[in-house]
Amino acid sequence: MLLERIYDEDLAQASYFIGCQVKGEAIVVDPRRDLDVYLELAEKNGMRIVAVTETHIHADYLSGTRELAAKTGAQMYVSDEGGPDWTYGADFDEATRMKHGHQIVLGNITVEAAHTPGHTPEHMSFLVTDGAQATAPGFMLTGDFVFVGDLGRPDLLDEAAGFVDTRFGGAKDLFASLRDQFLPLPDYVQVLPAHGSGSACGKALGAIASSTVGYERNFSWWAKYLENNDEQGFVDELLNGQPDAHAYFARMKRQNKLGPAVMGTVRELREYSVEELTSALTADSAIFVDTRANSAVHEGTVERSLNVPGVAKAASYGAWVYDPEHEQRPLVLLADSREQAEQMRDHLVRVGIDTVDGYVLSLAGLELVKPATVEPENLDSVDAALLLDVRNRTEYSEGHLPGAAQLSGGRLMWHLDELPEEGTIVTYCQSGVRNSVAASALRRDGYDVVELEGSYLGWLAVPGNTPVAA
């Protein structure tokens, strides 16, 4: 058996390629939309991708299940658990809809679906048996059910999908899933989750790629509650202190349930000339994306540009500031090379931003402006209508500037009604990176924004400044 973990550092998301080397057949679990990594793995190992599936209706990225099926002819498999509100849409009519216990057989390999609700009602985990070595499962692909050292949060349906108080039922479902589907497994079964450290799908995910049932049974925070059958204590601790859910999660939920658009052949990016870009920006027919660090952006950038700093977190930050359901103007990227622009485009399509049209290799010849900033020592000189902390609410509660309100960068552009209609807004985050992203989107929307240089850490370094804890 071949089992490969494909990890996206941007979204802290893992997909899995499982192949039978004897039969030359493979299945991909939880794929993203840019497919080259899966196709190259199949070619390298002389395999055909004949099946594709996913653990649940994802909220943090746009599923590549339909994309991969269209590209390879693979059979789709999706959950048919969770009730009518969690049934996949008509775009999945050609998929096999799985109930608990459904088996997908690839030569010597059996992939068995186990219904593990809690994070979402339809959630499936997959028990993998390598028939060439064993007669029982040795691996469990747990999706957003069990992470290394943590569990999938059950409150996303409330936070991101518009439901009300489903978190309590979800937490109880998660308790039952652990009791009935996870703990009865042998200690040696390897746990392969869909997310790692940095994901907003849990509050304390480990950075280690995998675990075992025995390790989690003995050392995870939740184990004592299961051992004592303390459901209420489990629910209380699970729900306490969950991070802010990004607003774009709601769009991902809708699109993943109905069926993400299939991109097919990706159009080649074009290099814009200075004249072409200037003309497009003047006509407001394109949006410029400055991909440099905030320190460089503060030295001068294109007016009304968005700041999405670099490839590494392009999907995460891009989805904060660009909503493709309400914005169709093409994006033009600042890039060091065509290859870098293509990498950034590939990251953006993972969150459904399919409108990258081209790139420029330099700012030379473009008219630049300096974003308004203020040094921490001079903060009192700004007559601000609002001092805005764009960090996560958990960071805010640990310490913030006196008088600051909190609205995380990932939710900001969907909650503009919480901002003053007039006046200056002073914004900050922890170090300035997220602040620059959020401030660029606010400026593009017409707000008068001043960024606090150095953000929270810069302000803390000023003698006499004392933060407030919530």
Side-chain angles (χ1 to χ4, degrees), residues 433-455:
V433 177
R434 289 172 288 174
N435 187 36
S436 183
V437 175
S440 72
L442 286 176
R443 288 192 184 98
R444 179 167 180 82
D445 213 54
Y447 287 88
D448 177 18
V449 179
V450 175
E451 295 175 60
L452 179 61
E453 283 285 9
S455 277

Side-chain angles (χ1 to χ4, degrees), residues 57 79-90 97 99 115 121-122 157 163 253 257-258:
I57 299 170
S79 175
D80 197 29
E81 297 282 6
D85 286 342
W86 300 100
T87 300
Y88 282 80
R97 296 175 184 258
K99 295 292 188 182
H115 185 214
E122 82 292 347
L157 304 185
F163 286 75
K253 273 287 182 189
K257 179 182 176 182
L258 296 173

Side-chain angles (χ1 to χ4, degrees), residues 90-370:
D91 281 341
F92 291 95
D93 281 352
E94 295 181 1
T96 298
R97 296 175 184 258
M98 300 179 292
K99 295 292 188 182
H100 176 81
H102 184 97
Q103 292 186 344
I104 305 168
V105 178
L106 306 168
N108 292 322
I109 300 168
T110 302
V111 179
E112 181 175 337
H115 185 214
T116 50
H119 175 67
T120 60
E122 82 292 347
H123 193 285
M124 291 289 198
S125 297
F126 295 104
L127 292 162
V128 182
T129 301
D130 180 4
Q133 298 283 338
T135 58
F139 309 87
M140 189 182 204
L141 275 61
T142 52
D144 287 23
F145 169 34
V146 177
F147 299 129
V148 178
D150 203 5
L151 301 170
R153 60 191 294 180
D155 63 321
L156 276 185
L157 304 185
D158 294 346
E159 291 291 314
F163 286 75
V164 178
D165 290 340
T166 63
R167 66 189 69 201
F168 304 107
K172 292 179 179 180
D173 285 344
L174 202 53
F175 187 88
S177 292
L178 288 166
R179 181 191 63 213
D180 300 338
Q181 301 297 332
F182 189 78
L183 290 182
L185 295 171
D187 282 353
Y188 61 75
V189 173
Q190 293 189 41
V191 174
L192 304 174
H195 291 291
S197 179
S199 169
C201 291
K203 60 181 177 180
L205 281 69
I208 299 172
S210 64
S211 184
T212 64
V213 170
Y215 189 90
E216 298 303 311
R217 184 202 314 277
N218 283 283
F219 299 112
S220 285
W221 67 262
W222 49 263
K224 62 184 179 182
Y225 296 107
L226 271 294
E227 184 178 353
N228 297 323
N229 197 29
D230 182 4
E231 182 186 67
Q232 190 56 54
F234 171 87
V235 170
D236 292 343
E237 183 162 348
L238 177 64
L239 295 178
N240 182 51
Q242 290 288 356
D244 289 324
H246 304 313
Y248 82 89
F249 282 9
R251 173 170 60 87
M252 297 292 93
K253 273 287 182 189
R254 289 194 304 273
Q255 293 180 345
N256 281 328
K257 179 182 176 182
L258 296 173
V262 173
M263 297 183 295
T265 302
V266 178
R267 185 167 56 85
E268 185 174 307
L269 298 181
R270 68 186 182 102
E271 182 178 355
Y272 275 70
S273 68
V274 171
E275 293 74 21
E276 288 172 328
L277 179 57
T278 300
S279 176
L281 295 176
T282 300
D284 201 20
S285 60
I287 298 173
F288 185 69
V289 180
D290 193 328
T291 60
R292 297 173 301 157
N294 59 300
S295 56
V297 170
H298 287 178
E299 293 301 313
T301 187
V302 173
E303 189 172 14
R304 300 189 71 230
S305 62
L306 297 174
N307 181 213
V308 180
V311 173
K313 300 295 288 184
S316 303
Y317 292 143
W320 286 15
V321 298
Y322 185 91
D323 181 1
E325 287 190 324
H326 298 96
E327 176 61 77
Q328 290 299 311
R329 276 170 289 195
L331 299 175
V332 181
L333 312 176
L334 175 63
D336 293 336
S337 63
R338 175 186 293 274
E339 290 72 26
Q340 186 191 56
E342 290 171 344
Q343 290 174 1
M344 193 157 185
R345 175 200 59 201
D346 289 347
H347 278 242
L348 291 170
V349 300
R350 296 172 196 172
V351 288
I353 299 175
D354 300 347
T355 51
V356 177
D357 182 58
Y359 63 95
V360 293
L361 298 176
S362 169
L363 293 175
L366 296 170
E367 186 175 342
L368 305 181
V369 296
K370 283 191 174 185

Side-chain angles (χ1 to χ4, degrees), residues 365-436:
L366 296 170
E367 186 175 342
L368 305 181
V369 296
K370 283 191 174 185
T373 63
V374 62
E375 295 292 337
E377 308 86 47
N378 301 324
L379 179 59
D380 290 343
S381 68
V382 180
D383 183 17
L386 177 67
L387 177 59
L388 182 62
D389 187 326
V390 300
R391 298 176 300 164
N392 211 302
R393 61 188 170 209
T394 52
E395 296 173 282
Y396 176 83
S397 66
E398 291 170 359
H400 56 268
L401 271 65
Q406 186 272 335
L407 184 55
S408 66
R411 300 178 63 82
L412 179 59
M413 300 308 294
W414 284 260
H415 293 272
L416 296 177
D417 58 323
E418 298 181 27
L419 304 182
E421 295 182 1
E422 297 181 352
T424 300
I425 301 173
V426 176
T427 61
Y428 71 91
C429 64
Q430 189 75 358
S431 66
V433 177
R434 289 172 288 174
N435 187 36
S436 183

